[in-house]
Amino acid sequence: MSAGTSDRQPRCTAPRAGGVAKRLNWRPAVLANLRRGPDRDASLRCYADLAQDYERATSRIREVRSRAVERLALRVGDTVFDVACGAGAMLPDMARLVGLQGLVIGIEQSPHMAALAREASQGLAQVEVHGCPVEEFVAPCAADALVFVYAHDVQQNQSALQAVFARAKPGARVVAAGLCLLPWWGMPINAWVLWGARRYLTTWHGLRSPWQQLLHWCPNLQIVERFHGGTTYLAVGTVAPARAGGDERGRG
């Protein structure tokens, strides 16, 4: 999900029916995504259309989500931020790992997606879904772990990153996963990736190394796994003490 802001209003809403018309209406998104940064309004419009069929349409990333949760190495009592949590697919698994003593916070700016996330985590007392832009997120406590899964727009937004890392404990575990472009020899595959991703993010900027801005807070961030022919990465690291904004007091 996007956490960016802009006054630009690209056409980004597709009809729900009519195959040819739908393809033509999505075409402007390919060009609009050449913008240098994420666009919140465009993202909200896109995800209003995507939400209804989101989980079925993104079934191919289930393994990536599962591996991301495993790599977080959550413990009972941990607090974890799921940044741009989307429909909340990972929230129940993380809730099970942190237990009732822990806290899982999903952050999602799209009202339609946040509603799905609340539905996915219904009955789990240790889960909160904050329906707000990431840069406006106010954390109730410091995080032991943060996860960014297919959150490209957020990772290109300094204000959004500052908001979540401001409440990260020193040494907090960080996992990031999502799309990335191949080197020059992968141009045909890159074109296919960009076409498939056109509705799910609002800027192509940074796709060659989408983890780059996270290095400010996590200098030891390293790519540890690749998926989908190398077009999906999974990186892990920890928040450097000098960059951490959270404290050690945890909840409360």
Side-chain angles (χ1 to χ4, degrees):
M1 283 300 300
S2 167
T5 58
S6 171
D7 293 330
R8 298 177 66 182
Q9 299 289 327
R11 188 181 180 190
C12 195
T13 301
R16 296 188 184 280
V20 174
K22 185 172 183 177
R23 288 194 295 272
L24 291 176
N25 262 7
W26 278 117
R27 193 167 295 166
V30 176
L31 300 178
N33 286 358
L34 292 171
R35 62 175 72 84
R36 293 288 294 175
D39 185 315
R40 179 192 299 169
D41 293 333
S43 181
L44 289 173
R45 290 195 299 273
C46 288
Y47 276 89
D49 284 313
L50 291 167
Q52 184 176 4
D53 199 38
Y54 184 80
E55 283 306 307
R56 186 198 64 79
T58 59
S59 60
R60 67 190 298 268
I61 69 172
R62 288 173 183 164
E63 180 188 3
V64 181
R65 291 170 174 162
S66 177
R67 294 294 295 150
V69 172
E70 290 177 17
R71 289 282 186 175
L72 278 174
L74 294 174
R75 300 181 288 261
V76 172
D78 276 352
T79 292
V80 56
F81 298 166
D82 186 350
V83 183
C85 70
M90 299 189 299
L91 299 179
D93 287 340
M94 292 190 290
R96 175 177 53 82
L97 293 170
V98 303
L100 290 175
Q101 302 96 314
L103 180 62
V104 178
I105 299 178
I107 313 164
E108 176 53 55
Q109 73 168 0
S110 165
H112 301 82
M113 299 294 281
L116 293 175
R118 293 187 181 98
E119 182 178 342
S121 57
Q122 189 173 8
L124 298 172
Q126 66 271 50
V127 176
E128 297 178 4
V129 176
H130 290 229
C132 64
V134 177
E135 60 265 45
E136 297 176 9
F137 171 63
V138 178
C141 55
D144 300 285
L146 303 91
V147 61
F148 303 79
V149 172
Y150 288 89
H152 177 76
D153 279 7
V154 172
Q155 291 174 214
Q156 308 311 308
N157 185 325
Q158 278 287 330
S159 296
L161 294 177
Q162 288 168 2
V164 291
F165 281 107
R167 290 295 277 154
K169 295 180 182 179
R173 302 177 299 284
V174 175
V175 172
L179 293 176
C180 62
L181 297 181
L182 298 172
W184 65 268
W185 48 261
M187 288 181 63
I189 298 174
N190 288 340
W192 176 81
V193 168
L194 294 177
W195 177 254
R198 69 196 183 280
R199 298 172 291 175
Y200 296 93
L201 46 82
T202 65
T203 180
W204 304 135
H205 183 66
L207 271 177
R208 290 204 177 276
S209 54
W211 53 83
Q212 188 67 35
Q213 295 202 50
L214 296 176
L215 294 174
H216 175 76
W217 290 273
C218 309
N220 66 349
L221 192 76
Q222 293 186 341
I223 297 174
V224 294
E225 293 186 59
R226 295 272 190 174
F227 305 85
H228 308 139
T231 61
T232 294
Y233 72 95
L234 190 152
V236 300
T238 54
V239 177
R243 301 294 188 185
D247 57 34
E248 298 289 349
R249 291 174 293 179
R251 299 183 66 175

